Amino acid sequence: MRAILVLVTAALLAAACGTSGDERTTELVPATTGPPPTTAAAVVTAPPTTAAPTTTAAPTTTTTEPSPFARPEWLGTRLLPLRDDGHGEVQPTPTELSDRRLETVSLLPPPPTDDYVATIGPVPDDVLARSSWTEECPVTPQELAYLTISHWGFDGEHHSGELIVNAGVAEDVVDVFRRLHEARFPIEGTSVVTLEQVDDHPTGDWNDTTGFVCRPAVGSSNWSQHAFGLAVDINPFHNPYLKGDLVLPELASDYVDRERVLPGMIFDGDVVVQAFADIGWAWGGNWSSLKDWMHFSASGR
Protein backbone atom coordinates (compact mmCIF):
# COMPACT_ATOMS: atom_id res chain seq x y z
CA MET A 1 0.00 0.00 0.00
CA ARG A 2 2.80 2.40 0.91
CA ALA A 3 4.40 1.81 -2.49
CA ILE A 4 1.16 2.69 -4.29
CA LEU A 5 0.88 5.99 -2.44
CA VAL A 6 4.42 6.90 -3.41
CA LEU A 7 3.67 6.27 -7.10
CA VAL A 8 0.46 8.35 -7.04
CA THR A 9 2.24 11.21 -5.40
CA ALA A 10 5.02 11.15 -7.94
CA ALA A 11 2.56 11.23 -10.81
CA LEU A 12 0.76 14.27 -9.46
CA LEU A 13 4.05 16.12 -9.02
CA ALA A 14 5.07 15.31 -12.57
CA ALA A 15 1.81 16.62 -13.96
CA ALA A 16 2.09 19.79 -12.00
CA CYS A 17 5.53 20.44 -13.34
CA GLY A 18 4.59 19.63 -16.94
CA THR A 19 7.08 16.88 -17.18
CA SER A 20 6.10 13.59 -18.70
CA GLY A 21 7.33 10.30 -17.59
CA ASP A 22 9.16 9.94 -20.97
CA GLU A 23 11.24 13.00 -20.36
CA ARG A 24 12.42 12.21 -16.84
CA THR A 25 12.79 8.85 -15.30
CA THR A 26 12.76 8.47 -11.60
CA GLU A 27 13.98 5.18 -10.25
CA LEU A 28 11.85 4.14 -7.42
CA VAL A 29 13.36 1.70 -4.94
CA PRO A 30 10.68 -0.11 -3.08
CA ALA A 31 10.98 0.19 0.64
CA THR A 32 12.27 -2.83 2.39
CA THR A 33 9.69 -4.49 4.48
CA GLY A 34 10.29 -6.95 7.28
CA PRO A 35 10.85 -7.04 10.96
CA PRO A 36 12.76 -4.27 12.67
CA PRO A 37 16.46 -4.75 13.05
CA THR A 38 17.26 -7.02 15.79
CA THR A 39 19.18 -5.96 18.84
CA ALA A 40 21.81 -8.39 20.03
CA ALA A 41 20.59 -10.12 23.09
CA ALA A 42 22.52 -9.46 26.24
CA VAL A 43 24.91 -12.24 27.12
CA VAL A 44 24.00 -13.68 30.46
CA THR A 45 26.96 -15.11 32.28
CA ALA A 46 26.10 -17.77 34.80
CA PRO A 47 27.73 -17.35 38.17
CA PRO A 48 30.85 -19.49 38.52
CA THR A 49 30.18 -22.91 39.96
CA THR A 50 31.99 -23.98 43.03
CA ALA A 51 33.45 -27.50 42.69
CA ALA A 52 32.43 -29.90 45.36
CA PRO A 53 35.26 -30.56 47.79
CA THR A 54 37.31 -33.64 46.86
CA THR A 55 37.17 -36.35 49.46
CA THR A 56 40.35 -38.42 49.77
CA ALA A 57 39.65 -41.93 50.90
CA ALA A 58 41.67 -43.13 53.83
CA PRO A 59 44.43 -45.57 52.79
CA THR A 60 43.34 -49.16 52.93
CA THR A 61 45.24 -51.23 55.44
CA THR A 62 45.48 -54.92 54.66
CA THR A 63 45.79 -57.00 57.75
CA THR A 64 47.64 -60.24 57.17
CA GLU A 65 47.07 -62.90 59.75
CA PRO A 66 50.37 -64.35 60.97
CA SER A 67 50.99 -67.89 59.84
CA PRO A 68 50.27 -70.44 62.57
CA PHE A 69 53.56 -72.07 61.54
CA ALA A 70 55.66 -68.89 61.69
CA ARG A 71 58.98 -69.26 63.46
CA PRO A 72 59.42 -66.96 66.50
CA GLU A 73 61.85 -64.17 65.71
CA TRP A 74 63.90 -64.99 68.79
CA LEU A 75 64.46 -68.62 67.79
CA GLY A 76 68.14 -69.49 68.01
CA THR A 77 69.16 -66.14 69.50
CA ARG A 78 68.60 -66.45 73.27
CA LEU A 79 71.79 -67.74 74.83
CA LEU A 80 71.29 -69.90 77.91
CA PRO A 81 73.36 -69.65 81.09
CA LEU A 82 75.85 -72.53 81.18
CA ARG A 83 75.87 -75.38 83.65
CA ASP A 84 79.06 -76.84 85.09
CA ASP A 85 78.88 -79.65 82.53
CA GLY A 86 78.93 -77.13 79.66
CA HIS A 87 75.31 -77.63 78.65
CA GLY A 88 72.74 -74.86 78.85
CA GLU A 89 70.55 -74.33 81.86
CA VAL A 90 67.33 -76.30 81.47
CA GLN A 91 64.40 -73.88 81.38
CA PRO A 92 60.61 -74.16 80.97
CA THR A 93 59.38 -74.61 77.43
CA PRO A 94 58.23 -71.30 75.91
CA THR A 95 54.52 -71.17 75.14
CA GLU A 96 55.22 -70.84 71.40
CA LEU A 97 57.08 -74.17 71.45
CA SER A 98 54.90 -76.21 73.78
CA ASP A 99 53.06 -77.65 70.77
CA ARG A 100 55.77 -77.01 68.22
CA ARG A 101 54.56 -76.99 64.60
CA LEU A 102 56.87 -74.59 62.82
CA GLU A 103 57.40 -74.05 59.11
CA THR A 104 60.34 -75.72 57.42
CA VAL A 105 63.38 -73.72 56.32
CA SER A 106 65.40 -75.56 53.67
CA LEU A 107 68.45 -74.77 51.57
CA LEU A 108 67.11 -76.91 48.74
CA PRO A 109 64.25 -76.17 46.32
CA PRO A 110 61.01 -78.06 46.98
CA PRO A 111 60.34 -81.30 45.11
CA PRO A 112 58.52 -80.93 41.78
CA THR A 113 55.70 -83.26 42.85
CA ASP A 114 54.34 -84.85 46.02
CA ASP A 115 56.16 -88.10 45.24
CA TYR A 116 59.06 -89.20 47.41
CA VAL A 117 62.39 -88.08 45.95
CA ALA A 118 65.84 -89.16 47.17
CA THR A 119 69.41 -89.15 45.86
CA ILE A 120 72.63 -90.79 47.08
CA GLY A 121 76.09 -89.64 46.10
CA PRO A 122 79.56 -88.67 47.32
CA VAL A 123 79.74 -85.69 49.64
CA PRO A 124 80.33 -82.62 47.42
CA ASP A 125 83.34 -80.50 48.34
CA ASP A 126 81.21 -77.48 49.22
CA VAL A 127 78.96 -79.57 51.47
CA LEU A 128 81.96 -81.17 53.19
CA ALA A 129 83.40 -77.69 53.75
CA ARG A 130 80.29 -76.55 55.62
CA SER A 131 79.92 -79.80 57.57
CA SER A 132 81.49 -80.72 60.92
CA TRP A 133 84.09 -82.98 59.30
CA THR A 134 87.76 -82.41 60.16
CA GLU A 135 90.83 -84.58 59.75
CA GLU A 136 90.46 -85.70 63.38
CA CYS A 137 87.10 -87.37 62.66
CA PRO A 138 86.98 -91.21 62.76
CA VAL A 139 85.85 -91.49 59.11
CA THR A 140 87.15 -90.16 55.81
CA PRO A 141 84.97 -88.19 53.39
CA GLN A 142 85.05 -91.20 51.06
CA GLU A 143 83.33 -93.29 53.73
CA LEU A 144 80.41 -90.89 53.84
CA ALA A 145 77.48 -90.29 51.48
CA TYR A 146 75.40 -87.21 50.81
CA LEU A 147 71.65 -87.80 50.72
CA THR A 148 68.81 -85.60 49.59
CA ILE A 149 65.39 -86.75 50.70
CA SER A 150 61.91 -85.29 50.52
CA HIS A 151 59.69 -85.07 53.58
CA TRP A 152 56.47 -83.53 54.84
CA GLY A 153 56.69 -80.57 57.21
CA PHE A 154 54.49 -79.48 60.08
CA ASP A 155 53.26 -76.77 57.72
CA GLY A 156 51.71 -79.45 55.49
CA GLU A 157 54.12 -78.65 52.66
CA HIS A 158 56.45 -80.99 50.78
CA HIS A 159 60.13 -80.17 51.36
CA SER A 160 63.60 -81.27 50.32
CA GLY A 161 66.22 -82.00 52.96
CA GLU A 162 69.82 -83.16 53.15
CA LEU A 163 71.78 -85.59 55.33
CA ILE A 164 75.27 -87.02 55.51
CA VAL A 165 75.47 -90.66 56.61
CA ASN A 166 77.90 -93.52 56.35
CA ALA A 167 77.99 -94.74 52.76
CA GLY A 168 77.41 -98.30 53.92
CA VAL A 169 73.94 -97.46 55.30
CA ALA A 170 72.85 -94.84 52.76
CA GLU A 171 70.32 -96.99 50.93
CA ASP A 172 68.78 -98.23 54.19
CA VAL A 173 68.39 -94.66 55.50
CA VAL A 174 66.78 -93.56 52.22
CA ASP A 175 64.26 -96.39 52.60
CA VAL A 176 63.47 -95.32 56.19
CA PHE A 177 62.66 -91.79 55.06
CA ARG A 178 60.57 -93.22 52.23
CA ARG A 179 58.37 -94.92 54.83
CA LEU A 180 58.13 -91.74 56.92
CA HIS A 181 57.15 -89.86 53.78
CA GLU A 182 54.42 -92.39 52.96
CA ALA A 183 53.06 -92.02 56.51
CA ARG A 184 53.33 -88.21 56.21
CA PHE A 185 55.22 -88.16 59.48
CA PRO A 186 56.11 -84.47 59.96
CA ILE A 187 59.75 -83.42 60.12
CA GLU A 188 60.61 -79.79 60.80
CA GLY A 189 63.79 -79.90 58.77
CA THR A 190 66.87 -81.92 57.90
CA SER A 191 70.31 -80.40 57.66
CA VAL A 192 74.06 -80.85 57.55
CA VAL A 193 75.44 -79.76 60.91
CA THR A 194 78.33 -77.31 60.72
CA LEU A 195 81.43 -77.23 62.91
CA GLU A 196 80.28 -73.87 64.25
CA GLN A 197 76.98 -75.38 65.37
CA VAL A 198 78.79 -78.11 67.28
CA ASP A 199 80.65 -75.48 69.27
CA ASP A 200 77.87 -72.88 69.48
CA HIS A 201 76.70 -71.49 72.80
CA PRO A 202 73.44 -73.38 73.48
CA THR A 203 70.06 -71.77 72.88
CA GLY A 204 68.11 -74.93 73.68
CA ASP A 205 65.59 -74.63 70.81
CA TRP A 206 67.15 -76.53 67.89
CA ASN A 207 65.13 -79.16 66.05
CA ASP A 208 67.08 -80.28 62.99
CA THR A 209 66.94 -83.92 61.93
CA THR A 210 70.58 -84.89 61.39
CA GLY A 211 72.91 -87.76 60.55
CA PHE A 212 76.68 -87.32 60.58
CA VAL A 213 78.01 -84.96 63.28
CA CYS A 214 81.66 -85.22 64.27
CA ARG A 215 81.41 -84.98 68.07
CA PRO A 216 81.81 -87.10 71.19
CA ALA A 217 78.81 -88.84 72.74
CA VAL A 218 76.94 -86.75 75.33
CA GLY A 219 78.83 -86.89 78.63
CA SER A 220 81.66 -88.96 77.15
CA SER A 221 85.06 -88.52 75.55
CA ASN A 222 84.33 -91.35 73.09
CA TRP A 223 83.08 -90.68 69.60
CA SER A 224 79.33 -90.60 69.15
CA GLN A 225 77.82 -92.95 66.58
CA HIS A 226 76.98 -89.76 64.71
CA ALA A 227 80.71 -89.22 64.17
CA PHE A 228 80.76 -92.44 62.10
CA GLY A 229 77.60 -91.51 60.20
CA LEU A 230 75.83 -94.46 61.80
CA ALA A 231 73.13 -92.59 63.73
CA VAL A 232 70.19 -90.34 62.91
CA ASP A 233 68.28 -87.96 65.22
CA ILE A 234 64.64 -87.23 64.33
CA ASN A 235 62.91 -84.01 65.50
CA PRO A 236 65.11 -83.53 68.60
CA PHE A 237 62.84 -80.95 70.22
CA HIS A 238 59.82 -83.24 70.03
CA ASN A 239 61.93 -86.20 71.15
CA PRO A 240 64.52 -84.92 73.61
CA TYR A 241 67.40 -86.50 75.46
CA LEU A 242 66.81 -87.01 79.19
CA LYS A 243 69.30 -88.04 81.84
CA GLY A 244 68.75 -86.96 85.43
CA ASP A 245 68.14 -83.23 85.38
CA LEU A 246 69.62 -82.75 81.89
CA VAL A 247 67.22 -82.20 79.01
CA LEU A 248 68.52 -81.64 75.48
CA PRO A 249 67.44 -79.42 73.82
CA GLU A 250 67.28 -77.46 77.05
CA LEU A 251 63.91 -75.81 76.33
CA ALA A 252 62.14 -79.06 75.42
CA SER A 253 60.99 -80.01 78.94
CA ASP A 254 57.32 -80.18 77.92
CA TYR A 255 58.18 -83.06 75.61
CA VAL A 256 59.69 -85.13 78.41
CA ASP A 257 56.07 -85.94 79.26
CA ARG A 258 55.51 -88.83 76.88
CA GLU A 259 51.86 -89.05 77.87
CA ARG A 260 51.38 -86.14 75.52
CA VAL A 261 50.69 -87.30 71.98
CA LEU A 262 51.54 -84.57 69.50
CA PRO A 263 52.66 -84.53 65.85
CA GLY A 264 56.37 -85.19 65.44
CA MET A 265 56.75 -87.27 68.58
CA ILE A 266 58.07 -90.84 68.40
CA PHE A 267 56.52 -93.74 70.32
CA ASP A 268 57.37 -97.39 70.70
CA GLY A 269 55.86 -99.41 67.85
CA ASP A 270 55.09 -96.43 65.61
CA VAL A 271 56.14 -96.05 61.98
CA VAL A 272 59.46 -94.40 62.86
CA VAL A 273 60.59 -97.04 65.36
CA GLN A 274 59.42 -99.84 63.09
CA ALA A 275 61.10 -98.42 59.98
CA PHE A 276 64.47 -98.21 61.74
CA ALA A 277 63.99 -101.62 63.38
CA ASP A 278 63.47 -103.12 59.93
CA ILE A 279 66.99 -102.04 58.91
CA GLY A 280 68.44 -103.34 62.18
CA TRP A 281 68.78 -100.03 64.02
CA ALA A 282 67.89 -99.55 67.70
CA TRP A 283 66.00 -96.70 69.35
CA GLY A 284 67.31 -94.61 72.24
CA GLY A 285 63.79 -94.42 73.64
CA ASN A 286 64.20 -98.00 74.83
CA TRP A 287 67.32 -97.34 76.88
CA SER A 288 67.03 -97.79 80.65
CA SER A 289 69.79 -95.57 82.07
CA LEU A 290 68.64 -92.59 80.06
CA LYS A 291 66.17 -91.72 77.32
CA ASP A 292 67.19 -90.45 73.93
CA TRP A 293 63.87 -90.41 72.10
CA MET A 294 65.32 -88.69 69.01
CA HIS A 295 68.16 -91.18 68.49
CA PHE A 296 68.47 -94.23 66.20
CA SER A 297 71.75 -96.03 65.58
CA ALA A 298 73.13 -99.07 63.80
CA SER A 299 75.09 -100.22 66.85
CA GLY A 300 72.33 -99.59 69.39
CA ARG A 301 74.53 -97.01 71.14
Side-chain angles (χ1 to χ4, degrees), residues 34-114:
T38 58
T39 303
V43 177
V44 179
T45 304
T49 58
T50 303
T54 303
T55 303
T56 303
T60 305
T61 302
T62 303
T63 303
T64 303
E65 290 294 329
S67 167
F69 310 107
R71 303 172 74 83
E73 292 183 0
W74 52 262
L75 204 70
T77 65
R78 298 176 178 174
L79 305 184
L80 297 174
L82 294 180
R83 299 166 26 134
D84 292 340
D85 58 10
H87 295 293
E89 182 182 286
V90 176
Q91 296 186 358
T93 303
T95 302
E96 303 96 314
L97 302 182
S98 185
D99 183 1
R100 181 168 178 153
R101 308 188 193 198
L102 303 184
E103 62 190 354
T104 295
V105 176
S106 176
L107 295 175
L108 305 179
T113 69
D114 286 349

Side-chain angles (χ1 to χ4, degrees), residues 37-301:
T38 58
T39 303
V43 177
V44 179
T45 304
T49 58
T50 303
T54 303
T55 303
T56 303
T60 305
T61 302
T62 303
T63 303
T64 303
E65 290 294 329
S67 167
F69 310 107
R71 303 172 74 83
E73 292 183 0
W74 52 262
L75 204 70
T77 65
R78 298 176 178 174
L79 305 184
L80 297 174
L82 294 180
R83 299 166 26 134
D84 292 340
D85 58 10
H87 295 293
E89 182 182 286
V90 176
Q91 296 186 358
T93 303
T95 302
E96 303 96 314
L97 302 182
S98 185
D99 183 1
R100 181 168 178 153
R101 308 188 193 198
L102 303 184
E103 62 190 354
T104 295
V105 176
S106 176
L107 295 175
L108 305 179
T113 69
D114 286 349
D115 296 331
Y116 179 69
V117 181
T119 64
I120 301 174
V123 182
D125 291 342
D126 62 322
V127 175
L128 188 69
R130 61 180 169 84
S131 76
S132 59
W133 187 86
T134 67
E135 292 183 357
E136 289 73 31
C137 296
V139 290
T140 65
Q142 291 71 33
E143 295 176 274
L144 299 171
Y146 178 66
L147 313 182
T148 65
I149 54 98
S150 60
H151 66 89
W152 294 99
F154 288 88
D155 51 13
E157 300 295 328
H158 197 206
H159 301 281
S160 297
E162 58 176 2
L163 292 171
I164 295 176
V165 298
N166 193 288
V169 301
E171 290 187 5
D172 285 342
V173 172
V174 163
D175 283 342
V176 166
F177 280 94
R178 181 191 308 277
R179 292 178 62 177
L180 304 191
H181 182 275
E182 290 172 354
R184 295 183 78 103
F185 179 84
I187 295 173
E188 187 172 316
T190 69
S191 68
V192 171
V193 175
T194 68
L195 194 60
E196 291 75 19
Q197 287 173 315
V198 173
D199 297 327
D200 269 354
H201 191 108
T203 59
D205 52 17
W206 41 278
N207 199 29
D208 288 334
T209 292
T210 58
F212 169 78
V213 185
C214 192
R215 62 168 176 81
V218 176
S220 171
S221 59
N222 297 322
W223 287 115
S224 163
Q225 291 300 293
H226 288 281
F228 298 92
L230 296 172
V232 171
D233 288 345
I234 306 283
N235 288 343
F237 200 90
H238 297 81
N239 304 288
Y241 171 102
L242 173 65
K243 184 177 182 180
D245 64 349
L246 176 62
V247 178
L248 298 174
E250 293 91 341
L251 299 184
S253 296
D254 281 4
Y255 283 94
V256 170
D257 179 4
R258 305 310 282 184
E259 295 299 318
R260 305 173 82 214
V261 180
L262 296 172
M265 296 177 71
I266 299 169
F267 299 98
D268 195 14
D270 72 4
V271 63
V272 187
V273 174
Q274 191 59 51
F276 277 105
D278 287 348
I279 66 169
W281 286 32
W283 178 42
N286 286 329
W287 296 347
S288 55
S289 61
L290 61 89
K291 297 297 182 184
D292 198 352
W293 290 291
M294 70 183 85
H295 184 79
F296 295 88
S297 64
S299 68
R301 299 194 301 275

Side-chain angles (χ1 to χ4, degrees), residues 21-47:
D22 293 336
E23 296 176 331
R24 182 176 179 176
T25 301
T26 302
E27 184 177 0
L28 299 178
V29 180
T32 303
T33 61
T38 58
T39 303
V43 177
V44 179
T45 304

